[in-house]
Amino acid sequence: MKRVIPVLVLSVAGLIPVWRYEPSIGTTTSTATPEVVSTPTPTATSSSSSSSSTPSTSSKKVVQGTAINTSKGTVQVQVTFEGDTISAVSMLQQPDHPQTTAAVPVLIEETLKAQSSKIDTVSGATITSDAYVQSLQAAIDAKGA
């Protein structure tokens, strides 16, 4: 009889986190269209005294991905392209969540290495990672349009 009370108390204490757990409810995507902003950027050229050259411009394109609504918050990226290369990625909107804050630099680094949206999700921030990939792919698709 002496063991029954501690066993019941510990069993209830162990079940409280299970009762309080709130699972994530899927993601929904926004129907907004990505925005493409094109800016010509002058590049430096060397000139010699015997010939004159005109500075050429390489096309620098900034594209916003679709805003993706998740149970944690909205995720939206902005991608800067120099030619066909992804030169920078920044977050326009992201959930105010510790896992997201830790995951964003990893996702951006992986994107710059892969030069595509085919990157791994970050463990512990799967919802944000999936939304990041969706917004990134929308920006890549919009760049080609």
Side-chain angles (χ1 to χ4, degrees):
M1 192 68 172
K2 291 180 182 179
R3 295 182 185 174
V4 171
I5 293 173
V7 168
L8 288 174
V9 170
L10 291 174
S11 296
V12 169
L15 290 173
I16 288 174
V18 174
W19 291 326
R20 296 195 54 174
Y21 178 73
E22 293 182 32
S24 300
I25 303 170
T27 61
T28 58
T29 58
S30 172
T31 57
T33 57
E35 181 179 329
V36 179
V37 180
S38 184
T39 7
T41 308
T43 57
T45 58
S46 62
S47 61
S48 63
S49 59
S50 63
S51 67
S52 71
S53 62
T54 2
S56 64
T57 59
S58 70
S59 180
K60 187 175 192 179
K61 207 176 222 185
V62 179
V63 182
Q64 293 180 357
T66 304
I68 308 296
N69 297 316
T70 71
S71 60
K72 303 292 182 189
T74 305
V75 176
Q76 184 178 21
V77 301
Q78 176 174 297
V79 183
T80 304
F81 294 94
E82 289 185 18
D84 289 334
T85 305
I86 298 173
S87 61
V89 179
S90 61
M91 296 293 285
L92 296 178
Q93 297 181 56
Q94 72 183 45
D96 185 23
H97 209 265
Q99 286 91 349
T100 299
T101 305
V104 167
V106 175
L107 292 168
I108 291 173
E109 181 182 337
E110 290 297 316
T111 301
L112 295 175
K113 282 182 190 174
Q115 290 294 307
S116 75
S117 65
K118 292 182 173 93
I119 59 173
D120 291 332
T121 59
V122 175
S123 179
T126 307
I127 293 171
T128 301
S129 298
D130 290 342
Y132 172 90
V133 168
Q134 289 177 17
S135 184
L136 176 64
Q137 186 60 52
I140 292 171
D141 292 345
K143 187 252 180 199

